[in-house]
């Protein structure tokens, strides 16, 4: 396998989880990773986005991406001049559909499932509480992987801080549904022997007295009924959460952190890299996106810039002597040459610093991959293919 590339990861792993802060191009790198795997290794590859990004559908040439996996058509590859060895599929997490499916799967019976789905608190609870989006994303990952339908699943996670929530979601979800607050809220109904019974005297319990006055009895009963029904699925939740956690620690899985070399995202990436290592997750690669081309650190190119700067007047005179209308003013030509040379040298300083940072970061994962800054926005398969060339071929 080529050193400094993702070849070995996509060939040996079944799940690749891409993490990183916002604005570093993580979605594009995830799609390019899946595209490169389908093109180079073959097989059936799925890119699953957890951060609902329209960019992914546009780049893959799909009208839309939903909870159900969609295959990127051969015509889209042909239009980009590509001939993949395998198949590329894409899906975007639909939180509500996934939660509905989860409830029906884990509820003890169809009646309980329908009571949960019909509860007026259900949409708010599952949509806004306790990292429900992150939890259901992990559930979806487990579900898709368990089917065995794909040789590789590439996951585009939310930005870094959310990605940490993504890792902690199973534990936090189980902790919430087994927590003290919910035990307090549901205690009168559990002790009363029925969901509508309230045999505990509210006046003797200050907590219930205050809650009843602020929230209202009907609201408390709705909450209690919802969570009593939900807690009937608690064992299934915990069992599945532990299975997902084992899968994320499994040697079939690898984490790839995406960052630029700007100060803020780089600092976040370093923190996340350390978190992955400390928590025992398999850390496979660090992708440095939007880096400057290696030519800026080439000594020969630097000497050319110095010559342009020192000999601008002489070179400009020679250019003006060619008789080209655009090169008729030696003073303007010399100013342009100096500007070009100074710009190159300024970029060279930044490129040298990037090179130093890269060597410092190389101690973190086994593989560090550079993706140079492209001269155009990525909006189609052709642009993703350009990123994939850097991800899967070592060197500039």
């Amino acid at each position: 396998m080529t050193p400094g590339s993702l070849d070995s990861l996509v060939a040996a792993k079944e799940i690749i989880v891409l993490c990183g802060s916002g604005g570093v191009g993580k979605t594009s790198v995830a799609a390019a990773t899946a595209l490169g795997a389908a093109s180079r290794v073959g097989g059936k590859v799925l890119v699953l986005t957890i951060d609902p990004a329209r960019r992914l559908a546009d780049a893959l040439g799909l009208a839309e991406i939903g909870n159900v996996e969609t295959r990127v058509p051969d015509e889209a590859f042909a239009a980009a001049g590509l001939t993949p060895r395998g198949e590329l599929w894409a899906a975007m997490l639909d939180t509500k559909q996934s939660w509905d499916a989860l409830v029906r799967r884990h509820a003890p019976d169809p009646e309980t499932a329908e009571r949960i789905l019909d509860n007026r608190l259900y949409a708010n609870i599952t949509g806004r509480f306790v990292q429900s989006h992150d939890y259901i994303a992990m559930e979806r990952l487990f579900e898709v992987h368990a089917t065995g339908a794909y040789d590789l699943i590439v996951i585009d996670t939310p930005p870094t801080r959310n990605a940490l929530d993504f890792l902690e979601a199973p534990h936090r979800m189980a902790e919430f549904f087994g927590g003290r607050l919910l035990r307090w809220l549901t205690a009168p109904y559990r002790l009363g022997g029925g969901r509508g019974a309230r045999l505990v005297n509210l006046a003797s319990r200050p907590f219930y007295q205050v809650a009843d006055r602020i929230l209202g009895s009907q609201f408390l009963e709705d909450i209690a009924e919802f969570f009593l029904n939900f807690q009937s699925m608690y064992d299934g939740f915990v069992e599945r959460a532990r299975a997902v956690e084992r899968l994320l620690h499994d040697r079939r899985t690898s984490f790839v952190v995406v960052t630029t070399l700007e100060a803020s995202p780089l600092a976040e990436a370093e923190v996340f890299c350390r978190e992955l290592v400390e928590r025992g997750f398999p850390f496979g690669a660090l992708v440095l996106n939007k880096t400057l081309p290696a030519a800026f650190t080439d000594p020969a190119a630097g000497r050319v810039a110095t010559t342009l700067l020192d000999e601008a007047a002489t070179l400009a005179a020679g250019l003006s002597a060619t008789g080209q209308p655009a090169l008729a003013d030696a003073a303007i030509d010399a100013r342009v040459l100096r500007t070009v040379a100074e710009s190159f040298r300024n970029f060279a300083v930044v490129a040298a610093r990037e090179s130093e940072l890269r060597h410092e970061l190389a101690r973190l994962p086994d593989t560090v991959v550079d993706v140079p800054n492209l001269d155009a926005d990525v909006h189609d398969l052709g642009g993703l293919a350009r990123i994939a060339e850097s991800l899967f071929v070592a060197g500039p």
Side-chain angles (χ1 to χ4, degrees):
M1 297 301 174
T2 308
S5 76
L6 300 184
D7 288 86
S8 59
L9 284 183
V10 300
K13 304 299 180 180
E14 296 178 9
I15 296 173
I16 295 180
V17 183
L18 279 90
C19 310
S21 60
V24 299
K26 179 171 53 61
T27 298
S28 297
V29 171
T33 300
L35 172 62
S39 300
R40 295 168 63 86
V41 180
K44 196 173 179 181
V45 181
L46 170 68
V47 55
L48 172 63
T49 181
I50 294 172
D51 182 16
R54 176 67 202 175
R55 296 186 306 276
L56 182 60
D58 293 339
L60 294 175
L62 297 173
E64 61 181 17
I65 301 179
N67 215 42
V68 178
E69 304 95 285
T70 302
R71 183 180 177 182
V72 177
D74 294 336
E75 294 77 15
F77 285 102
L82 304 173
T83 307
R85 297 177 60 187
E87 299 176 2
L88 179 59
W89 293 68
M92 182 183 295
L93 181 72
D94 185 307
T95 304
K96 185 180 185 309
Q97 287 186 26
S98 298
W99 266 108
D100 291 352
L102 175 69
V103 168
R104 291 190 173 96
R105 185 182 308 117
H106 289 305
D109 52 68
E111 291 75 18
T112 302
E114 292 308 314
R115 280 198 300 269
I116 293 172
L117 296 175
D118 292 340
N119 189 289
R120 59 181 178 173
L121 298 177
Y122 170 71
N124 287 327
I125 294 293
T126 57
R128 300 173 187 174
F129 272 13
V130 295
Q131 294 91 34
S132 66
H133 189 69
D134 302 294
Y135 179 83
I136 203 62
M138 301 184 75
E139 172 76 20
R140 182 83 172 101
L141 163 63
F142 187 89
E143 177 190 8
V144 173
H145 181 264
T147 66
Y150 298 96
D151 300 290
L152 176 67
I153 303 171
V154 179
I155 305 181
D156 170 32
T157 63
T160 300
R161 291 187 178 88
N162 288 334
L164 291 175
D165 292 338
F166 176 80
L167 299 178
E168 297 171 351
H171 173 73
R172 291 189 177 184
M173 182 66 75
E175 187 178 65
F176 178 78
F177 284 107
R180 182 180 300 176
L181 174 61
L182 296 187
R183 289 200 300 271
W184 280 349
L185 287 172
T186 58
Y189 307 92
R190 288 187 284 107
L191 295 175
R195 291 183 173 82
R198 302 190 66 185
L199 301 183
V200 176
N201 186 350
L202 295 182
S204 65
R205 296 288 187 93
F207 172 80
Y208 294 107
Q209 186 178 28
V210 173
D212 221 28
R213 185 168 62 249
I214 295 175
L215 301 175
S217 300
Q218 184 59 49
F219 187 74
L220 280 180
E221 289 180 6
D222 288 343
I223 290 178
E225 180 180 3
F226 173 77
F227 284 112
L228 283 170
N229 283 322
F230 222 85
Q231 284 179 329
S232 68
M233 303 188 299
Y234 178 78
D235 291 341
F237 268 47
V238 173
E239 180 182 350
R240 180 62 70 94
R242 289 172 179 167
V244 172
E245 193 167 6
R246 288 194 298 270
L247 180 62
L248 292 178
H249 282 89
D250 195 280
R251 62 182 180 180
R252 295 171 293 176
T253 300
S254 185
F255 283 78
V256 174
V257 177
V258 183
T259 184
T260 63
L261 288 173
E262 297 175 21
S264 180
L266 181 61
E268 288 189 33
E270 289 185 287
V271 169
F272 192 70
C273 290
R274 288 195 295 271
E275 289 284 345
L276 286 174
V277 174
E278 290 174 4
R279 299 177 189 215
F281 290 99
F283 182 20
L286 177 67
V287 174
L288 306 180
N289 196 23
K290 304 178 183 179
T291 60
L292 289 173
F296 283 112
T297 58
D298 186 341
R303 289 192 293 271
V304 171
T306 300
T307 300
L308 280 179
L309 196 60
D310 295 342
E311 306 294 334
T314 301
L315 293 169
L319 290 173
S320 300
T322 62
Q324 295 291 329
L327 303 172
D329 190 323
I332 294 177
D333 297 342
R335 189 159 60 247
V336 171
L337 292 176
R338 290 191 188 96
T339 301
V340 170
E342 289 172 355
S343 296
F344 185 95
R345 294 176 74 172
N346 290 337
F347 276 114
V349 172
V350 178
R353 177 55 181 155
E354 286 188 352
S355 179
E356 294 172 3
L357 288 171
R358 188 189 189 286
H359 288 297
E360 292 175 10
L361 294 169
R363 70 186 187 279
L364 295 174
D366 295 332
T367 302
V368 178
V369 183
D370 286 322
V371 177
N373 198 18
L374 302 181
D375 54 8
D377 291 336
V378 175
H379 60 275
D380 56 16
L381 281 177
L384 292 176
R386 292 183 64 190
I387 296 177
E389 289 176 3
S390 299
L391 292 172
F392 293 92
V393 180

